[in-house]
Amino acid sequence: MKIPFKIFCSIFFFMLTIIGIKAQVNTGFASLDKAKLEPFKMEVTYNKTSHLLFPSPIRYVDLGNESLIASKSEDVSNVLRIKSSVKGFEEETNFSVITQDGKFYSFDVFYSVSPDALNYDLLKLQRKYEKDYSTEVLFEELKGKSSSLTELLIKTLNELPARTIKHISSKSFGIQFLLKSLYVHEGKFYFNFQIKNKSNVSYDIDFISFKIIDKKNLKRTVVQDKILSPLRTYPLNSKVEFQSNSEFLYLLDQFTLLDGQVLEIELREKGGGRYQTIRVENSDLIHAKVVKNIHLQLK
């Protein structure tokens, strides 16, 4: 029996309507499986400590339960020590790590009397492989900006060969500390320093501090100084070998100085007295080079 053309058209458009409604309903929900982050698998034991070397300093660690104990290395901020707190726990547990470059890592942990490996170097992961096991988080101090892009910009600016500032430096005891360049981008200052060690003794950096001081008040106290805290530092290495040069980049929130103020930047040697001090005027800050036409190094 033939179906009349008008009835056929009515049925056809009715079916299209039903399919459209179902499609709208389905698109309103998404499965969490699509956002699932695959964890690393690793083994720990009671009598030995496992070490994980991350590409960036560790900022946050969360342990699944009391079967695990973990701590950051005191001298190396990107190394995590982890081991079992009890012998032979049976149930699988986990832990998570967030690093300073904005990466989130997840680990599933099993107990083993004799783990296949005790030391893990996450620096050796290929970028394509790493994407399956880590994801990116946004830090509040970056105002929602991608921390990975910030790290790429830091690395790129640190590797630029040109010295754009030639009048800010300090030199003594065979150590020269200079501000090589100063960039500004999206409300952030990028201070690029160069340290030249012409001596025969390596220079271990304790810290580089940033203070806004009153340059006319010679009897100022620590309370009167305004301490500025860097948001990022690059690279991780804090030693300048003898007869060599090294460059370091510090990321700070954008700021300016009042009349009579100056930014004092101090370089301190760990366990030594070869400290250096340089000063940056407000005119140097407001003439910082704007970041533009920079090709980020993605590898």
Side-chain angles (χ1 to χ4, degrees):
M1 181 179 65
K2 295 184 178 179
I3 301 176
F5 181 74
K6 291 184 178 180
I7 297 177
F8 173 79
C9 289
S10 299
I11 295 174
F12 177 74
F13 285 114
F14 175 76
M15 294 300 296
L16 288 179
T17 303
I18 295 298
I19 293 173
I21 293 174
K22 287 186 177 181
Q24 292 178 7
V25 172
N26 289 337
T27 55
F29 299 93
S31 172
L32 282 177
D33 288 339
K34 296 181 180 179
K36 185 169 61 178
L37 178 64
E38 293 296 332
F40 287 100
K41 306 291 184 182
M42 67 172 293
E43 298 174 333
V44 297
T45 189
Y46 179 78
N47 295 319
K48 296 180 180 180
T49 302
S50 297
H51 292 81
L52 294 98
L53 175 64
F54 290 89
S56 182
I58 299 165
R59 182 156 177 164
Y60 168 89
V61 178
D62 180 68
L63 302 179
N65 58 37
E66 297 179 352
S67 298
L68 300 176
I69 53 176
S71 63
K72 291 192 296 182
S73 175
E74 295 179 359
D75 298 327
V76 185
S77 59
N78 64 322
V79 175
L80 180 70
R81 296 188 295 252
I82 190 163
K83 64 184 299 185
S84 173
S85 61
V86 295
K87 290 184 178 181
F89 66 83
E90 296 182 357
E91 293 185 359
E92 171 189 340
T93 186
N94 72 328
F95 70 94
S96 302
V97 175
I98 296 177
T99 52
Q100 187 170 287
D101 61 356
K103 294 295 180 64
F104 177 89
Y105 298 86
S106 178
F107 300 83
D108 283 344
V109 186
F110 306 85
Y111 186 88
S112 174
V113 176
S114 180
D116 292 334
L118 291 174
N119 301 311
Y120 301 89
D121 186 356
L122 278 74
L123 287 167
K124 294 182 178 180
L125 290 177
Q126 298 294 326
R127 291 182 63 85
K128 182 178 180 180
Y129 183 66
E130 181 183 0
K131 289 179 181 179
D132 294 333
Y133 293 88
S134 67
T135 191
E136 183 180 304
V137 297
L138 299 178
F139 292 134
E140 182 178 354
E141 65 265 27
L142 295 181
K143 311 302 181 188
K145 303 296 182 184
S146 168
S147 52
S148 291
L149 289 178
T150 300
E151 293 297 321
L152 288 174
L153 182 57
I154 287 174
K155 294 176 183 179
T156 301
L157 292 178
N158 187 67
E159 294 173 359
L160 292 180
R163 179 182 176 186
T164 60
I165 297 178
K166 300 182 179 180
H167 65 284
I168 302 177
S169 66
S170 174
K171 184 178 181 181
S172 62
F173 304 109
I175 303 297
Q176 184 177 12
F177 177 47
L178 56 91
L179 179 59
K180 179 183 174 183
S181 59
L182 175 60
Y183 291 89
V184 62
H185 179 66
E186 295 186 347
K188 301 289 185 291
F189 276 133
Y190 295 78
F191 287 82
N192 193 5
F193 300 104
Q194 185 176 52
I195 302 174
K196 298 181 178 181
N197 185 0
K198 300 299 183 181
S199 73
N200 294 328
V201 179
S202 63
Y203 191 92
D204 291 322
I205 300 174
D206 191 5
F207 62 84
I208 295 179
S209 65
F210 297 79
K211 295 183 290 186
I212 296 178
I213 65 173
D214 184 349
K215 57 184 176 181
K216 294 182 180 181
N217 185 8
L218 299 179
K219 296 182 179 180
R220 71 183 191 275
T221 65
V222 176
V223 177
Q224 293 172 314
D225 296 338
K226 181 179 179 180
I227 309 297
L228 303 180
S229 299
L231 304 175
R232 294 285 189 277
T233 61
Y234 178 84
L236 297 176
N237 183 27
S238 60
K239 176 183 289 188
V240 184
E241 299 294 345
F242 63 92
Q243 299 295 331
S244 66
N245 303 334
S246 291
E247 296 184 3
F248 301 87
L249 194 144
Y250 282 66
L251 175 67
L252 283 83
D253 277 320
Q254 179 180 304
F255 63 94
T256 55
L257 304 173
L258 299 175
D259 290 339
Q261 288 184 331
V262 67
L263 175 65
E264 184 177 86
I265 305 173
E266 186 177 45
L267 169 68
R268 283 283 182 174
E269 181 183 16
K270 184 181 296 183
R274 294 181 293 175
Y275 64 89
Q276 306 283 332
T277 301
I278 58 177
R279 291 185 174 184
V280 178
E281 302 283 346
N282 199 49
S283 58
D284 300 309
L285 296 175
I286 63 176
H287 288 100
K289 291 182 68 65
V290 177
V291 175
K292 59 182 179 179
N293 299 326
I294 295 294
H295 299 286
L296 299 180
Q297 301 296 325
L298 299 178
K299 294 183 179 181

